[in-house]
mmCIF file of all heavy atoms in Angstrom:
data_model
loop_
_atom_site.group_PDB
_atom_site.id
_atom_site.type_symbol
_atom_site.label_atom_id
_atom_site.label_comp_id
_atom_site.label_asym_id
_atom_site.label_seq_id
_atom_site.Cartn_x
_atom_site.Cartn_y
_atom_site.Cartn_z
ATOM 1 N N ARG A 238 -15.492 -42.898 24.442
ATOM 2 C CA ARG A 238 -16.656 -43.674 24.905
ATOM 3 C C ARG A 238 -16.411 -45.169 24.784
ATOM 4 O O ARG A 238 -16.958 -45.956 25.547
ATOM 5 C CB ARG A 238 -17.905 -43.271 24.122
ATOM 6 C CG ARG A 238 -18.417 -41.916 24.563
ATOM 7 C CD ARG A 238 -19.906 -41.756 24.266
ATOM 8 N NE ARG A 238 -20.425 -40.629 25.009
ATOM 9 C CZ ARG A 238 -21.016 -39.569 24.468
ATOM 10 N NH1 ARG A 238 -21.195 -39.503 23.164
ATOM 11 N NH2 ARG A 238 -21.467 -38.597 25.231
ATOM 12 N N GLN A 239 -15.583 -45.569 23.798
ATOM 13 C CA GLN A 239 -15.310 -47.009 23.645
ATOM 14 C C GLN A 239 -14.410 -47.531 24.769
ATOM 15 O O GLN A 239 -14.429 -48.709 25.089
ATOM 16 C CB GLN A 239 -14.606 -47.275 22.316
ATOM 17 C CG GLN A 239 -15.525 -47.176 21.102
ATOM 18 C CD GLN A 239 -14.733 -46.907 19.832
ATOM 19 O OE1 GLN A 239 -13.540 -47.180 19.761
ATOM 20 N NE2 GLN A 239 -15.396 -46.365 18.824
ATOM 21 N N LYS A 240 -13.581 -46.638 25.324
ATOM 22 C CA LYS A 240 -12.544 -47.122 26.245
ATOM 23 C C LYS A 240 -12.752 -46.766 27.711
ATOM 24 O O LYS A 240 -12.251 -47.448 28.593
ATOM 25 C CB LYS A 240 -11.195 -46.515 25.816
ATOM 26 C CG LYS A 240 -10.671 -47.046 24.516
ATOM 27 C CD LYS A 240 -9.183 -46.942 24.435
ATOM 28 C CE LYS A 240 -8.717 -45.511 24.446
ATOM 29 N NZ LYS A 240 -7.414 -45.292 23.860
ATOM 30 N N LEU A 241 -13.466 -45.663 27.939
ATOM 31 C CA LEU A 241 -13.543 -45.151 29.314
ATOM 32 C C LEU A 241 -14.975 -45.190 29.829
ATOM 33 O O LEU A 241 -15.917 -45.022 29.053
ATOM 34 C CB LEU A 241 -13.040 -43.697 29.354
ATOM 35 C CG LEU A 241 -11.550 -43.519 29.088
ATOM 36 C CD1 LEU A 241 -11.225 -42.064 28.792
ATOM 37 C CD2 LEU A 241 -10.738 -44.011 30.284
ATOM 38 N N PRO A 242 -15.137 -45.379 31.144
ATOM 39 C CA PRO A 242 -16.509 -45.366 31.682
ATOM 40 C C PRO A 242 -17.096 -43.961 31.637
ATOM 41 O O PRO A 242 -16.363 -42.984 31.787
ATOM 42 C CB PRO A 242 -16.302 -45.822 33.138
ATOM 43 C CG PRO A 242 -14.880 -45.538 33.450
ATOM 44 C CD PRO A 242 -14.105 -45.583 32.169
ATOM 45 N N GLU A 243 -18.401 -43.885 31.418
ATOM 46 C CA GLU A 243 -19.102 -42.597 31.475
ATOM 47 C C GLU A 243 -19.342 -42.272 32.937
ATOM 48 O O GLU A 243 -19.904 -43.101 33.669
ATOM 49 C CB GLU A 243 -20.455 -42.696 30.767
ATOM 50 C CG GLU A 243 -20.388 -42.755 29.266
ATOM 51 C CD GLU A 243 -19.964 -41.431 28.652
ATOM 52 O OE1 GLU A 243 -20.428 -40.371 29.092
ATOM 53 O OE2 GLU A 243 -19.148 -41.481 27.706
ATOM 54 N N VAL A 244 -18.963 -41.067 33.367
ATOM 55 C CA VAL A 244 -19.122 -40.752 34.789
ATOM 56 C C VAL A 244 -20.591 -40.745 35.218
ATOM 57 O O VAL A 244 -20.901 -40.978 36.379
ATOM 58 C CB VAL A 244 -18.452 -39.419 35.189
ATOM 59 C CG1 VAL A 244 -16.964 -39.551 35.277
ATOM 60 C CG2 VAL A 244 -18.845 -38.287 34.294
ATOM 61 N N SER A 245 -21.484 -40.513 34.262
ATOM 62 C CA SER A 245 -22.906 -40.511 34.626
ATOM 63 C C SER A 245 -23.415 -41.927 34.913
ATOM 64 O O SER A 245 -24.446 -42.118 35.537
ATOM 65 C CB SER A 245 -23.729 -39.887 33.501
ATOM 66 O OG SER A 245 -23.453 -40.560 32.300
ATOM 67 N N GLU A 246 -22.665 -42.950 34.456
ATOM 68 C CA GLU A 246 -23.123 -44.332 34.636
ATOM 69 C C GLU A 246 -22.302 -45.117 35.652
ATOM 70 O O GLU A 246 -22.834 -45.916 36.410
ATOM 71 C CB GLU A 246 -23.056 -45.082 33.290
ATOM 72 C CG GLU A 246 -24.062 -44.576 32.279
ATOM 73 C CD GLU A 246 -23.698 -44.972 30.850
ATOM 74 O OE1 GLU A 246 -22.821 -45.834 30.667
ATOM 75 O OE2 GLU A 246 -24.289 -44.382 29.931
ATOM 76 N N THR A 247 -20.981 -44.913 35.625
ATOM 77 C CA THR A 247 -20.092 -45.729 36.456
ATOM 78 C C THR A 247 -19.137 -44.822 37.222
ATOM 79 O O THR A 247 -18.476 -43.975 36.616
ATOM 80 C CB THR A 247 -19.257 -46.678 35.552
ATOM 81 O OG1 THR A 247 -20.156 -47.372 34.692
ATOM 82 C CG2 THR A 247 -18.462 -47.679 36.375
ATOM 83 N N GLY A 248 -19.047 -45.030 38.519
ATOM 84 C CA GLY A 248 -18.150 -44.203 39.334
ATOM 85 C C GLY A 248 -16.692 -44.516 39.038
ATOM 86 O O GLY A 248 -16.291 -45.679 39.006
ATOM 87 N N SER A 249 -15.906 -43.468 38.804
ATOM 88 C CA SER A 249 -14.463 -43.649 38.595
ATOM 89 C C SER A 249 -13.796 -42.277 38.693
ATOM 90 O O SER A 249 -14.472 -41.253 38.794
ATOM 91 C CB SER A 249 -14.158 -44.267 37.230
ATOM 92 O OG SER A 249 -14.016 -43.258 36.242
#
Side-chain angles (χ1 to χ4, degrees):
R238 286 204 165 122
Q239 286 158 22
K240 291 206 296 203
L241 292 165
E243 287 289 318
V244 285
S245 55
E246 292 161 13
T247 309
S249 89

